[in-house]
Amino acid sequence: MSMKKDEESGLSAYYNNKSTIIQEARVFNESNVSPRKCRALLTRIVYLLYLGETFTTQEATNLFFGTSKLFQNKDSALRQMVYLNVKELATMAEDVIMVTASIMKDMQPNLEVIYRPNAIRALCRIIDPSMVQGVERFFKAAIVDKNPSIASSALVSSYHLFPSAKDVIRRWVNEAQEAVNAKTSTSYFNNPTNSGYLPGGSGYLNFSGTAQPQGPQTLPSTSNITQYHALGLLYLIRQQDRMAVTKMIQQLGGGKSGSGTTLKNSMALCMLIRYAAKVMEEDPNVQKQMHDLLEGWLRHKSDMVNYEAARAICEMRNVTPSQLTRAVNVLQIFLSSAKPALKFAAIRTLSALALSQPAAVATCNVDMENLITDPNRSIATYAITTLLKTGNEASVDRLMKQIAGFMSEISDEFKVIVVDAVRSLTLKFPAKQALMLGFLSGVLRDEGGYDFKRAVVEAIFDMIKFITDSKEAALAHLCEFIEDCEFTKLSVRILHLIGIEGPKTLNPTKYIRYIYNRVVLENAIVRAAAVSSLAKFGVNAMDGTVRKSIGVLLNRCLDDVDDEVRDRAAMYLRVMQDEPLAQTYIKDESMFSLAALESKLVAYVNDPEASNVAFDASSVPKVSRAQAQQEAARPSAIDTIVAPAPTNAVAAPVRKSAAEMQSAYADQLAAVPDFAAYGPIYGSSKQPAQLTESETEYVVSCVKHVFKEHIVFQFNVSNTLSDTILERVAVAMQPNDVGLTEDFILPIASLSNSTSPQVVYVSFTRDSPEEYVLGSFACTLKFISKEVDPTSGEPEEEGYEDEYQLEEVELGAGSEYIIPNYANFSTEWDKLEEDGTSMTETFSLSSMASIKAACDSLIEILNMEALGGTENPASTSVHTLTLSGMAVGGGGVVLARCRTTFSSGQGVTLELSVRAEQEAAARLVLAAIGGMDQATPFGSHVDGTI
């Protein structure tokens, strides 16, 4: 039997071999071809392409033109295979446009209906954009054809041609609208012209003697799939016009009840719902209208439409519980459906909704509990995790027992979901931490992949961080886990955590044995991490005997075979004997911002004048280790799996940190030759300042860049008008204060809707580089406006000069001249008292409604780093906010202590104490607060008289 199978597989390999097929393709050149033989050969070619087989350009061209000779044969089944091969080979062959005439013959309205759809689809792959206008008449006629297969093929082909021939296909909007509004086709057996059981008959089997009608006979479709394809093309044409899309949705929506819609196809209605959700996402002003339409579709006869409408409502931005009521009721009904797909869709949507609206989902708890025993374990997993989010503390014990019962039956992907749900529940009910920790430690011992184990370890990490009572037990479980951990990354992370948290426990010595075991038994990476962890115990130990024991263990590591382990051991032995070194390398909680460090190093390497000067590390801002971990952290699995991104929304890019934005700006400016001599960039605005409303014709934002002797204003300009092109776009700036001299303007040559946004640069020279220039600028956008000919798509030759008034640009103290910088406040504050400048001033912030509002405003205006969690006041009447920053251009470290008091009648009173390395930097901070609205200074003290 096995020999027979091998023979069959070998025969199949020969039969479907590329070389064999190319040889056999010569049959296409014979005068009398066999349709059946040619169909089989064409099927084998398509099969090879489906398997991923690649043909060279010459091979594909030979096969393509060999296939095209079969157009002479009238066999309809063969013609369909010919078209299928023509479509697949068109992307690989050369000179494919030569078969256009043969394809056009089959597009004539009086030919076989079976030819026209295939010909239209093939023509879409053959022609280039310049030929689309020549076949416009054929496509327009096909789009409104009564035969659904012809109309659908024309619509789908138009959809694929749109990116390369937008202007031509936009003229087909009336035909697409007609296809959307097409009435339901009459059922075949109810058609008075088809009263017999055979096409064209008027009696039973056409025996009544009536003559059969001439011309092609078609079988009418009742699926209305043409509406689905037409709606997709109609949206593609109108997608840049939000008002037109909104009007289309309202016209096709059928009113609040949804019963008046002309759309009969369920997939078309689902697509319309997604368009409505996208419009709501982009324009919150129409949310009420769109929500009414969505609620009407909740009562549709199709389950598909009901679910799509319910999901769209659940994913609405800032949705209220009252708006969710009907949608949740529909999903609750689906939970008891007999269809597994419907139950899975409903429970998945409710699980995502429970993250933000657990109270709204709680009404479905009884139905979800019934799904815990569902034979489909995916449904059961979502049910149990959703219950964990919506349940109360009393139900936790029962739910945890049920979870433990089926953990071994589900895949790692769903295990991660369960673990993340348990982690969220633990933080919600800290009193149940012992139960949760027992569950997590149990699954940690089970078999599983890296992602699953990492999820469990991160859940335990969160318990250590946020639930103090669980720290020692959690550390013990982690110590046991690393004894038999097969994942190096997890072992390193756990050892690092033990080194940080272990010395803070009541009995730190019990963890040293587990760490030293890793030095003896593990690979070099884990051994190096274990050495670092031991050193933390040695430096932070209060007991001298413990420090001595750690020294003995580290001395043994000096004989390790790996140089990294030996070097770490030697370094830490030296550090343990020198307290200042220990403070710098082990106890210090700050680290350089990696993005900022990279940017500074790149600027240093590219600066030819810096080759004789040592790199100044003091100019690199620092962040806390917690901040660094937060920036580098990946999204939680519960965010990426349980709560997927809405399908109607475009995937948003990952938001960059402030340091990464600074690095990106530096790269952007380095690409402009006019700024090559400016040297390294000192700092840029944290966020672009919006100078226009987002709904206006022209959208402009501004970013300010500070150099040693220059300031560059970067204006990001967008043209939202599709029928207008702007040329010679520039920004005229009028400074309201002295201290800057304009150098030049780098305008935009041409700006259209499709090429937006582009950048205008305006450069100024700082008259006194050692001073921090403050002030405002009146700005005007100037350009030449040209209308676009809708037929040709070309702009008119003659335009007219125009201008657009922008908001004023402020050159402030904080965002341009100060960079957030992490520091040990008490140490640096005392150090600056002796070596720096101290100033104090009192302000009345009468407009502030609370101390929290005052703290948020101070952090935003000064652009400094809040230290020690002081950004969150513990008291509503008295609070002290501590801030740290770094002044650009060698201004050094700047610290601010903000003592605030609040009274209901007078608002917030602020005593601002500033200490800095340079007096100009200290005055800069005071000037920033003095420029706040409603900030009234009471008095000031300089040079340490605080």
Side-chain angles (χ1 to χ4, degrees):
M1 181 64 70
S2 62
M3 184 180 297
K4 185 177 180 180
K5 287 183 179 180
D6 291 341
E7 290 175 357
E8 288 177 354
S9 62
L11 180 62
S12 176
Y14 170 77
Y15 183 71
N16 291 319
N17 181 270
K18 183 175 76 170
S19 301
T20 304
I21 289 176
I22 292 175
Q23 291 291 331
E24 294 182 9
R26 296 174 181 174
V27 74
F28 298 153
N29 300 321
E30 296 178 359
S31 56
N32 292 322
V33 298
S34 168
R36 183 173 182 179
K37 185 176 181 181
C38 290
R39 285 202 310 269
L41 186 56
L42 292 172
T43 303
R44 290 159 62 191
I45 295 174
V46 175
Y47 174 71
L48 279 184
L49 292 171
Y50 172 77
L51 292 179
E53 187 70 58
T54 56
F55 291 89
T56 65
T57 302
Q58 186 62 42
E59 291 170 345
T61 303
N62 292 338
L63 283 175
F64 181 86
F65 284 102
T67 303
S68 67
K69 294 181 180 180
L70 299 177
F71 276 110
Q72 301 173 16
N73 195 287
K74 300 300 181 183
D75 187 88
S76 59
L78 176 60
R79 185 68 59 88
Q80 286 183 287
M81 285 305 303
V82 168
Y83 277 123
L84 191 58
N85 278 265
V86 165
K87 284 197 305 178
E88 297 300 326
L89 293 171
T91 57
M92 297 179 283
E94 293 179 336
D95 301 326
V96 296
I97 203 169
M98 294 175 65
V99 301
T100 304
S102 300
I103 297 175
M104 293 290 289
K105 288 180 181 179
D106 286 349
M107 289 182 61
Q108 304 303 321
N110 57 349
L111 290 180
E112 288 285 347
V113 174
I114 198 170
Y115 289 171
R116 289 184 67 193
N118 293 300
I120 292 169
R121 293 189 184 97
L123 188 66
C124 169
R125 300 286 186 94
I126 297 297
I127 60 175
D128 58 31
S130 62
M131 297 179 61
V132 176
Q133 193 165 357
V135 297
E136 182 176 7
R137 177 172 59 88
F138 294 97
F139 272 91
K140 280 186 173 182
I143 288 174
V144 296
D145 197 279
K146 298 300 181 185
N147 187 290
S149 62
I150 296 174
S152 289
S153 62
L155 289 163
V156 173
S157 298
S158 304
Y159 193 96
H160 291 301
L161 286 171
F162 184 81
S164 57
K166 294 180 181 178
D167 295 332
V168 177
I169 294 176
R170 281 197 178 103
R171 299 201 294 262
W172 305 352
V173 64
N174 292 333
E175 285 74 16
Q177 185 71 53
E178 185 177 340
V180 169
N181 296 328
K183 297 186 182 297
T184 308
S185 302
T186 308
S187 175
Y188 174 72
F189 292 105
N190 293 332
N191 192 335
T193 63
N194 297 324
S195 55
Y197 289 96
L198 291 178
S202 59
Y204 181 69
L205 294 180
N206 200 21
F207 289 159
S208 65
T210 305
Q212 185 171 345
Q214 298 298 318
Q217 297 298 304
T218 62
L219 187 65
S221 170
T222 57
S223 68
N224 296 287
I225 192 64
T226 305
Q227 291 184 328
Y228 172 68
H229 297 140
L231 182 62
L233 179 62
L234 199 59
Y235 176 77
L236 195 65
I237 293 173
R238 295 177 173 176
Q239 62 182 342
Q240 300 299 332
D241 188 348
R242 188 185 300 169
M243 293 299 295
V245 173
T246 304
K247 185 178 179 181
M248 178 187 74
I249 294 170
Q250 292 173 339
Q251 288 176 342
L252 299 176
K256 291 186 177 182
S257 63
S259 58
T261 179
T262 57
L263 296 178
K264 306 300 180 185
N265 182 269
S266 297
M267 288 190 291
L269 276 169
C270 289
M271 183 177 286
L272 191 67
I273 291 170
R274 295 187 181 187
Y275 294 156
K278 188 173 183 180
V279 168
M280 281 193 300
E281 185 76 17
E282 295 174 350
D283 186 6
N285 295 326
V286 300
Q287 189 178 75
K288 178 69 169 62
Q289 306 168 32
M290 295 295 113
H291 179 262
D292 291 342
L293 288 174
L294 292 174
E295 283 204 335
W297 286 319
L298 289 174
R299 296 184 288 272
H300 196 271
K301 61 182 179 182
S302 169
D303 290 340
M304 185 193 306
V305 177
N306 297 155
Y307 169 71
E308 195 68 37
R311 187 180 67 164
I313 293 174
C314 292
E315 292 175 353
M316 280 171 52
R317 184 183 298 175
N318 301 323
V319 63
T320 62
S322 60
Q323 291 174 323
L324 287 170
T325 303
R326 293 184 180 179
V328 172
N329 289 341
V330 169
L331 295 174
Q332 186 174 8
I333 294 172
F334 288 166
L335 292 178
S336 56
S337 170
K339 302 175 182 177
L342 208 54
K343 285 192 290 188
F344 180 81
I347 191 62
R348 192 167 187 256
T349 303
L350 289 171
S351 181
L353 181 62
L355 290 171
S356 57
Q357 299 279 356
V361 182
T363 57
C364 306
N365 280 1
V366 175
D367 300 272
M368 289 188 290
E369 287 190 15
N370 296 331
L371 294 179
I372 294 177
T373 56
D374 194 277
N376 187 315
R377 306 317 289 169
S378 301
I379 295 175
T381 303
Y382 272 115
I384 197 73
T385 53
T386 309
L387 285 169
L388 288 175
K389 300 182 201 119
T390 61
N392 52 36
E393 193 167 1
S395 63
V396 169
D397 293 350
R398 176 171 50 85
L399 291 174
M400 293 304 297
K401 289 180 181 178
Q402 291 175 309
I403 291 175
F406 69 85
M407 280 294 286
S408 59
E409 302 174 17
I410 59 178
S411 64
D412 276 8
E413 180 184 8
F414 287 103
K415 285 180 181 179
V416 171
I417 296 174
V418 173
V419 169
D420 275 335
V422 170
R423 177 175 62 178
S424 302
L425 193 68
T426 305
L427 302 180
K428 185 178 179 182
F429 303 120
K432 296 291 182 180
Q433 54 90 10
L435 175 65
M436 303 299 182
L437 189 58
F439 168 79
L440 292 174
S441 63
V443 298
L444 197 59
R445 291 189 290 270
D446 295 341
E447 293 294 326
Y450 172 75
D451 288 334
F452 168 55
K453 297 290 187 179
R454 186 194 63 185
V456 179
V457 169
E458 287 180 346
I460 297 177
F461 280 9
D462 282 353
M463 293 184 67
I464 294 173
K465 182 177 180 180
F466 297 108
I467 306 175
T468 308
D469 294 342
S470 66
K471 181 181 293 186
E472 295 207 16
L475 287 174
H477 287 303
L478 292 176
C479 287
E480 292 178 5
F481 173 64
I482 60 174
E483 289 288 323
D484 191 26
C485 178
E486 57 184 315
F487 303 108
T488 298
K489 287 183 179 180
L490 291 182
S491 295
V492 170
R493 290 188 61 188
I494 293 171
L495 286 168
H496 176 73
L497 181 75
I498 294 174
I500 293 174
E501 300 293 341
K504 302 175 185 177
T505 59
L506 296 177
N507 185 17
T509 55
K510 65 181 179 181
Y511 304 108
I512 296 176
R513 174 175 63 88
Y514 294 99
I515 299 173
Y516 189 68
N517 284 346
R518 302 305 99 219
V519 175
V520 176
L521 302 173
E522 291 287 356
N523 58 53
I525 298 175
V526 178
R527 295 203 303 273
V531 167
S532 299
S533 184
L534 283 172
K536 291 182 174 66
F537 277 84
V539 169
N540 295 306
M542 302 300 293
D543 190 350
T545 57
V546 174
R547 183 184 293 253
K548 185 177 180 180
S549 299
I550 296 295
V552 172
L553 298 178
L554 290 178
N555 271 300
R556 294 178 184 176
C557 297
L558 294 175
D559 298 327
D560 195 277
V561 295
D562 185 78
D563 56 351
E564 173 72 15
V565 178
R566 294 195 304 271
D567 291 348
R568 288 198 186 193
M571 185 193 76
Y572 286 125
L573 282 170
R574 176 71 178 86
V575 165
M576 287 174 58
Q577 299 169 6
D578 192 330
E579 183 61 29
L581 289 177
Q583 183 68 38
T584 303
Y585 291 104
I586 295 181
K587 294 183 179 181
D588 188 8
E589 289 298 318
S590 66
M591 61 181 294
F592 289 120
S593 171
L594 296 182
L597 178 61
E598 179 190 23
S599 177
K600 296 284 186 182
L601 287 172
V602 169
Y604 176 77
V605 171
N606 294 334
D607 187 1
E609 298 180 359
S611 58
N612 299 325
V613 182
F615 178 73
D616 183 13
S618 63
S619 63
V620 182
K622 292 185 176 182
V623 296
S624 66
R625 296 189 182 274
Q627 285 177 306
Q629 291 172 359
Q630 185 176 3
E631 290 180 3
R634 297 173 66 252
S636 167
I638 203 164
D639 297 329
T640 57
I641 301 177
V642 178
T647 55
N648 59 300
V650 178
V654 178
R655 187 173 182 178
K656 295 182 179 180
S657 66
E660 289 172 333
M661 289 297 296
Q662 301 289 324
S663 180
Y665 286 139
D667 294 340
Q668 188 175 356
L669 291 169
V672 181
D674 300 78
F675 305 140
Y678 283 15
I681 184 172
Y682 283 168
S684 300
S685 304
K686 183 171 64 173
Q687 293 291 339
Q690 300 299 323
L691 306 183
T692 62
E693 299 291 336
S694 59
E695 295 83 9
T696 55
E697 301 94 326
Y698 316 115
V699 180
V700 183
S701 62
C702 179
V703 180
K704 290 145 280 186
H705 308 286
V706 179
F707 293 84
K708 181 179 180 180
E709 298 179 353
H710 300 82
I711 294 180
V712 174
F713 295 86
Q714 171 185 325
F715 294 93
N716 305 312
V717 186
S718 296
N719 175 15
T720 63
L721 302 177
S722 57
D723 56 353
T724 303
I725 286 182
L726 309 182
E727 294 185 353
R728 290 160 53 186
V729 183
V731 177
M733 301 182 67
Q734 295 294 330
N736 297 338
D737 202 350
V738 294
L740 294 176
T741 303
E742 184 175 312
D743 298 323
F744 55 81
I745 301 175
L746 298 180
I748 300 170
S750 178
L751 181 67
S752 64
N753 179 266
S754 59
T755 59
S756 296
Q758 293 190 51
V759 177
V760 174
Y761 290 107
V762 183
S763 174
F764 285 84
T765 296
R766 300 168 65 183
D767 296 341
S768 300
E770 68 278 359
E771 296 180 359
Y772 298 105
V773 180
L774 306 178
S776 60
F777 299 78
C779 299
T780 305
L781 183 69
K782 295 188 175 183
F783 50 86
I784 294 177
S785 179
K786 292 185 177 182
E787 299 293 329
V788 177
D789 187 344
T791 305
S792 64
E794 296 295 326
E796 60 187 12
E797 293 184 4
E798 296 295 331
Y800 60 92
E801 293 187 1
D802 199 359
E803 60 183 40
Y804 191 84
Q805 194 64 39
L806 306 177
E807 296 287 337
E808 285 192 350
V809 173
E810 297 286 342
L811 192 59
S815 59
E816 280 71 54
Y817 296 118
I818 299 178
I819 304 172
N821 180 62
Y822 182 84
N824 186 317
F825 187 81
S826 59
T827 303
E828 291 292 332
W829 185 260
D830 295 339
K831 179 181 176 182
L832 289 174
E833 183 179 16
E834 300 175 0
D835 303 334
T837 299
S838 300
M839 296 183 179
T840 298
E841 190 161 345
T842 306
F843 299 90
S844 174
L845 308 179
S846 56
S847 64
M848 295 297 170
S850 65
I851 289 181
K852 173 62 175 172
C855 290
D856 293 341
S857 297
L858 290 169
I859 295 170
E860 180 180 359
I861 291 171
L862 296 177
N863 193 32
M864 297 173 73
E865 182 75 28
L867 302 175
T870 55
E871 67 273 18
N872 297 313
S875 170
T876 58
S877 57
V878 179
H879 181 64
T880 299
L881 171 68
T882 55
L883 301 172
S884 173
M886 182 179 293
V888 301
V893 176
V894 183
L895 299 180
R897 184 180 64 193
C898 310
R899 291 174 173 169
T900 56
T901 59
F902 175 77
S903 61
S904 57
Q906 299 178 352
V908 175
T909 301
L910 167 67
E911 182 193 68
L912 177 62
S913 301
V914 183
R915 290 183 180 176
E917 295 181 13
Q918 304 289 335
E919 182 178 343
R923 293 191 182 278
L924 182 68
V925 174
L926 295 178
I929 302 302
M932 288 177 59
D933 293 337
Q934 302 297 326
T936 305
F938 288 157
S940 62
H941 305 279
V942 185
D943 295 330
T945 57
I946 298 177

